[in-house]
Amino acid sequence: MILQTKQLTKRFGGLTAVNHVDFSIEKGKVNAIIGPNGAGKSTFFNLISGFHRPTSGEVLFKGVDIAKMPANKIAELGIARTFQTTNLFEQSTVLDNVMIGHRLRTKSNLLDAVFRTARHKREEKQCREKAFEMIEFVDLQKVADKEVASLTQEEKKRTAFALALATDPEIVFLDEPAAGVNPDETEGLAALMQKMVKKGITVCLIEHKMQMIMKLADKIMVLNYGEKIAEGTPEEIRNNPAVIKAYLGGSAIA
Ligand code: ADP
Ligand code: MG
């Protein structure tokens, strides 16, 4: 176990978006979160990555409570994420977008940049090399110098992966990585996630594409109205009556 939430809760006014959720993320595995729209999945990610403060509960990363840390500090610890709607700089190239991810982890500050110190120059070079390495990893070499605005949806998703990976994370949180891409491209993205795991990165993803999840995930948690209603292997989830009821009002999950 690399990351664990304990009784994690988030209220927005009168709405409890995440309600006392206990979940542990297994190191080196594909951990998935599923659940109907509005179930609290993205909010759960926002709590872990420091974009929202929990109302109560804990987020333990390797035993340390990170629940009150700011997002940049959490990213520095080795926790990366992508967003449900990719938030890339559309008018910049793939390479420039990915370089931003790596800069988060380098030490030059504004003064270094202004005076173009030796450290800054060295880090710029490292940053570019790292970005290229990640672009290669996600197989986007051919479009590295293209504007993000001109990419396909799938290429944008791969760019977002590369950006997350450029921070050298131990764990990545991917919010609906295959939303809006066709079945072939979905398989390509699934293969890429497996490649991340092979590289030693722990993956946690939110996804609606049930077939993909059932094939890809080692472990699944199901949220409904902010509460964890089930947790287990794909096989256990497929046959869980509460899950079937929440999803389809009674019939089996395909
Ligand atoms: P999911 O990702 O599972 O579709 P979300 O986590 O986005 O669900 O949302 C869970 C609930 O919390 C929804 O009812 C949503 O409207 C609400 N919610 C999410 N973010 C906010 C926010 N910043 N302010 C108020 N309500 C929010
Ligand atoms: Mg969501």
Side-chain angles (χ1 to χ4, degrees):
M1 171 172 60
I2 181 168
L3 191 144
Q4 184 183 24
T5 66
K6 285 189 177 172
Q7 295 293 299
L8 194 62
T9 299
K10 179 66 178 179
R11 291 195 196 95
F12 294 113
L15 175 92
T16 306
V18 173
N19 199 354
H20 295 97
V21 174
D22 289 322
F23 186 53
S24 52
I25 292 175
E26 305 303 325
K27 192 173 161 66
K29 297 267 163 70
V30 177
N31 302 261
I33 300 172
I34 64 171
N37 269 330
K41 303 180 299 295
S42 293
T43 303
F44 187 73
F45 272 19
N46 286 334
L47 293 173
I48 290 172
S49 53
F51 286 79
H52 287 322
R53 279 280 170 91
T55 305
S56 59
E58 293 173 27
V59 180
L60 301 173
F61 178 57
K62 297 196 278 190
V64 177
D65 191 3
I66 59 165
K68 293 189 180 66
M69 285 185 189
N72 63 326
K73 181 85 189 152
I74 291 174
E76 280 173 22
L77 289 177
I79 299 174
R81 68 167 300 179
T82 66
F83 292 83
Q84 195 167 340
T85 3
T86 53
N87 70 337
L88 303 166
F89 296 105
E90 293 272 328
Q91 310 309 322
S92 301
T93 65
V94 170
L95 179 64
D96 284 340
N97 270 274
V98 178
M99 282 178 71
I100 293 161
H102 188 248
R103 278 207 189 96
L104 254 179
R105 304 273 292 190
T106 60
K107 299 213 169 47
S108 308
N109 55 30
L110 188 61
L111 277 182
D112 285 321
V114 169
F115 293 110
R116 303 203 49 80
T117 61
R119 178 166 82 176
H120 178 70
K121 282 182 196 155
R122 194 166 61 238
E123 287 187 352
E124 276 295 302
K125 187 162 169 282
Q126 277 173 2
C127 185
R128 182 169 291 269
E129 282 166 6
K130 185 78 191 173
F132 268 123
E133 190 190 315
M134 291 308 133
I135 286 170
E136 216 167 11
F137 185 82
V138 302
D139 204 14
L140 285 182
Q141 304 90 305
K142 287 195 187 112
V143 295
D145 293 320
K146 279 201 178 167
E147 256 185 32
V148 166
S150 72
L151 302 182
T152 66
Q153 187 62 20
E154 191 231 3
E155 288 167 337
K156 286 184 188 181
K157 297 282 188 182
R158 282 177 185 264
T159 305
F161 282 16
L163 201 156
L165 293 173
T167 64
D168 273 335
E170 284 187 54
I171 177 165
V172 290
F173 288 86
L174 308 169
D175 196 345
E176 302 200 20
V181 308
N182 73 34
D184 278 352
E185 294 171 336
T186 298
E187 281 196 18
L189 292 174
L192 186 51
M193 285 181 246
Q194 276 162 336
K195 194 172 156 192
M196 287 183 199
V197 168
K198 274 214 191 94
K199 197 177 148 81
I201 298 169
T202 302
V203 171
C204 183
L205 80 155
I206 294 170
E207 194 47 72
H208 281 299
K209 295 188 171 169
M210 212 54 78
Q211 267 189 327
M212 175 208 203
I213 284 296
M214 292 295 168
K215 267 201 287 189
L216 189 67
D218 296 296
K219 171 182 186 173
I220 301 173
M221 165 167 79
V222 188
L223 289 180
N224 195 28
Y225 295 111
E227 286 181 28
K228 178 171 90 174
I229 61 166
E231 182 177 354
T233 63
E235 201 49 40
E236 285 162 353
I237 295 302
R238 203 194 309 270
N239 298 313
N240 184 304
V243 177
I244 295 169
K245 187 155 175 274
Y247 262 85
L248 301 163
S251 39
I253 293 175

